[in-house]
Amino acid sequence: MPSPVIKLNSGYDMPQVGFGLWKVDNAVAADVVYNAIKTGYRLFDGACDYGNEVECGKGVARAIQEGIVKREDLFIVSKLWNSFHDAERVEPIVKKQLADWGIDYFDLYLIHFPVALEYVDPSVRYPPGWFYDGKSEIRPSKATIQETWTAMESLVGKGLAKSIGISNFQAQLIYDLLRYAKIRPATLQIEHHPYLVQQELLNLAKHEGIAVTAYSSFGPASFLEFNMQHAVKLTPLMEDETIKKIASKYNREPSQVLLRWATQRGLAIIPKTTRPAVMASNFQSTDFDLSEEDIATISSFDRGIRFNQPTNYFPTEHLWIFG
């Protein structure tokens, strides 16, 4: 069965169940993407910062060459990294990313973070990461979000992106962006799991007609490898007794329950795995419904705990972006 779709305010249909490409190792990325396409996935969520767009593109090319899909069957997402927020840097880096993927357009292109950093030429280091010197220096750019968004809008007119959106933005900045946007953001991608529900932000997006994509749907599981203490100390959601009890009730995996909690509430999801059985299980997570009581029980896990913020990865006093 194909994924259900979400109608974007740009007029395009976006698959509700996609495949995330963060931390997919370069050595296996082509095969992982190829196998995900064979499993049924059509949306792939990539980014400059993931450093694997060339390899992911090879997986797409193989599937197309073998006649499994056509380019127009796929919904490929990528993101503008912080070092390319200055208006004159946006189009050139998008063209580089498209070339890396081996495609002519992105179905959706997002501002990855509301953070403008000084330009680092791709010939010096790519992806550039957070540090100007590749070590520890955070060097801001003077680019405003308005400057960057205006450059993003030009991508649509030039056919380089069909839809544009934002990621990791908070409410006040979204309201500000909507005041000057000629093209409204089609989507907002945020960290979203039972430990971080962000209901008021979801309310804003719904009222403004902005689709929401959840990343890190399994909460701390994605962040244990970074030795984040608040991730290590929390009970993994898929091992939580309440989640396991709900999963047993529906004869489903805990992972499927966590994903369905998001999709049944209208969000898109982008889980990632390299294991074929889990790949299929995640994809088949929309063909059952949770009771309203069970949805409320899972939502009550909310503790406002965020994992994906710069200050959790490295010490800095410059990037309190979720304050």
Side-chain angles (χ1 to χ4, degrees), residues 195 218-221 230-241 301 303:
Y195 289 141
F218 305 135
H230 61 316
V232 172
K233 291 177 181 178
L234 282 168
T235 300
L237 285 165
M238 286 185 280
E239 297 175 17
D240 182 88
E241 290 302 321
F301 277 61
R303 301 182 191 179

Side-chain angles (χ1 to χ4, degrees), residues 56 84 91 115 117 135 174 179 200 213 270 291 314:
C56 292
F84 308 108
E91 184 177 332
V115 176
L117 298 179
K135 298 176 182 178
I174 296 172
R179 292 187 181 99
E200 292 182 358
T213 298
I270 45 173
S291 70
F314 50 84

Side-chain angles (χ1 to χ4, degrees), residues 111-188:
I111 298 179
H112 202 151
F113 282 95
V115 176
L117 298 179
E118 188 159 322
Y119 176 69
V120 175
D121 193 288
S123 65
V124 173
R125 189 176 62 256
Y126 190 85
W130 289 92
F131 305 124
Y132 180 75
D133 58 0
K135 298 176 182 178
S136 61
E137 183 185 0
I138 302 293
R139 187 180 292 187
S141 155
K142 294 187 182 300
T144 63
I145 293 298
Q146 182 170 4
E147 175 184 336
T148 305
W149 188 252
T150 300
M152 293 278 289
E153 291 174 326
S154 73
L155 302 177
V156 177
K158 294 176 180 177
L160 299 175
K162 289 190 172 182
S163 300
I164 52 176
I166 51 181
S167 178
N168 298 305
F169 278 50
Q170 297 296 101
Q172 293 181 37
L173 190 55
I174 296 172
Y175 280 131
D176 188 56
L177 187 155
L178 291 174
R179 292 187 181 99
Y180 53 75
K182 295 183 176 67
I183 299 176
R184 294 168 71 85
T187 69
L188 166 67

Side-chain angles (χ1 to χ4, degrees), residues 219-272:
S222 295
F223 302 93
L224 295 176
E225 66 192 77
F226 301 108
N227 199 32
M228 293 182 186
Q229 289 307 300
H230 61 316
V232 172
K233 291 177 181 178
L234 282 168
T235 300
L237 285 165
M238 286 185 280
E239 297 175 17
D240 182 88
E241 290 302 321
T242 299
I243 300 296
K244 288 165 67 175
K245 183 177 179 181
I246 293 173
S248 178
K249 173 181 173 181
Y250 296 95
N251 195 27
R252 294 285 179 154
E253 296 294 328
S255 55
Q256 292 179 306
V257 166
L258 292 167
L259 295 173
R260 188 60 180 140
W261 169 76
T263 57
Q264 196 171 326
R265 291 162 47 252
L267 282 74
I269 54 172
I270 45 173
K272 177 220 77 172

